[in-house]
């Protein structure tokens, strides 16, 4: 039950699932992303690493038993990792891509796992593109439409191009800090009307231009 609840909380937020109308809580994620290219210059997928805040991490591991107190191996965390990626499917893995203006879709995650270090959890997973594509411009955005989960790209080495053709240039646009204003809005405001996609205001936008 705890594992299922964890997956639901990560993907949608406990208050969203319960239909609460009060200012919603947050999960903070520090993210890094790698854009993966094949030898012919097509982009084949995205590899994410999402590190959760310490409070959420502490909640998530409650009830888990490890061989060493206060430590959890990748194998011990495997059921949680599976629940996470399965739950995230409904939300498109909070990852949205356009190649030369055309929306691209992802397959289900592969090579996923959780690790636990310095009291925080990090979820690693790779999203293969359904149709690998070679494009002049690729735009990748990472965000939660409801802004229950606050994504911030890491300060150091937030994005890497793996195997990209020479001459490709990458630009990262970080969102301004909208947490304070977001907390003033209730769940009904988020999910209805003009603010249904409020989280788009806080998207991390990665743009890759290739010759």
């Amino acid at each position: 039950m705890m594992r299922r609840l964890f997956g639901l909380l990560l993907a949608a937020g406990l208050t969203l699932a319960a239909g609460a109308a009060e200012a919603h809580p947050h999960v903070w994620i520090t993210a890094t992303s790698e854009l993966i290219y094949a030898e012919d210059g097509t982009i084949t997928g995205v590899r994410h690493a999402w590190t959760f805040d310490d409070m959420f991490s502490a909640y998530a591991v409650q009830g888990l038993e490890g061989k060493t107190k206060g430590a959890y191996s990748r194998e011990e965390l495997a059921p949680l990792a599976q629940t996470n990626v399965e739950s995230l499917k409904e939300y498109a893995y909070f990852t949205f891509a356009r190649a030369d203006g055309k929306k691209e879709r992802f397959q289900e995650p592969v090579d996923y796992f959780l690790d636990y270090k310095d009291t925080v959890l990090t979820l690693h997973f790779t999203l293969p593109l359904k149709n690998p594509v070679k494009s002049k411009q690729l735009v990748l955005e990472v965000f939660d439409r409801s802004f229950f989960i606050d994504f911030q790209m890491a300060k150091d080495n937030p994005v890497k191009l793996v195997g990209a053709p020479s001459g490709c240039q990458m630009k990262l646009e970080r969102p301004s800090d909208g947490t304070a204003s977001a907390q003033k809005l209730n769940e009904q405001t988020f999910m209805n009307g003009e603010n249904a996609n409020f989280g788009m205001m806080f998207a991390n936008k990665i743009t890759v231009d290739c010759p």
Side-chain angles (χ1 to χ4, degrees):
M1 178 64 181
M2 192 283 292
R3 289 172 179 168
R4 178 59 181 163
L5 177 60
F6 173 70
L8 291 174
L9 177 58
L10 173 61
L14 186 60
T15 50
L16 286 179
E22 298 179 356
H24 67 270
H26 277 77
V27 174
W28 285 269
I29 288 178
T30 301
T32 63
S33 299
E34 295 182 351
L35 280 65
I36 307 167
Y37 289 79
E39 290 184 3
D40 64 356
T42 59
I43 181 168
T44 61
V46 180
R47 184 182 298 121
H48 286 311
W50 293 351
T51 300
F52 303 102
D53 62 87
D54 53 0
M55 184 177 297
F56 182 82
S57 295
Y59 170 82
V61 298
Q62 284 183 1
L64 283 182
E65 295 184 1
K67 292 182 179 180
T68 304
K69 185 176 180 180
Y72 305 94
S73 68
R74 189 177 299 184
E75 291 73 22
E76 290 165 340
L77 292 169
L80 279 178
Q82 181 177 354
T83 300
N84 273 269
V85 295
E86 290 176 352
S87 299
L88 290 172
K89 182 178 181 179
E90 183 178 351
Y91 304 91
Y93 309 101
F94 303 118
T95 306
F96 309 91
R98 289 186 179 274
D100 293 332
K102 179 184 176 183
K103 184 177 181 180
E104 301 294 334
R105 299 186 181 278
F106 294 98
Q107 299 183 48
E108 295 185 0
V110 297
D111 301 330
Y112 56 83
F113 64 94
L114 277 166
D115 61 32
Y116 185 80
K117 183 179 180 181
D118 298 330
T119 72
V120 294
L121 283 168
T122 300
L123 176 65
H124 304 260
F125 64 102
T126 298
L127 288 174
L129 278 170
K130 285 189 174 181
N131 297 297
V133 62
K134 184 182 294 186
S135 62
K136 293 287 188 181
Q137 184 179 80
L138 179 82
V139 176
L140 185 78
E141 293 182 290
V142 179
F143 65 96
D144 174 13
R145 295 182 187 276
S146 71
F147 202 55
F148 175 83
I149 300 175
D150 184 359
F151 287 93
Q152 295 291 330
M153 301 302 293
K155 291 182 179 180
D156 299 324
N157 301 315
V159 183
K160 293 181 180 179
L161 303 183
V162 180
S166 60
C168 290
Q169 299 292 322
M170 186 274 295
K171 178 177 67 174
L172 169 63
E173 297 177 51
R174 300 174 185 268
S176 58
D177 184 9
T179 302
S181 61
Q183 287 178 332
K184 296 177 183 178
L185 301 178
N186 61 36
E187 294 299 339
Q188 200 66 28
T189 302
F190 274 99
M191 302 309 294
N192 293 292
E194 295 181 357
N195 291 309
N197 289 322
F198 183 84
M200 292 180 67
M201 296 173 59
F202 308 102
N204 296 274
K205 184 177 181 181
I206 301 164
T207 303
V208 181
D209 291 298
C210 292

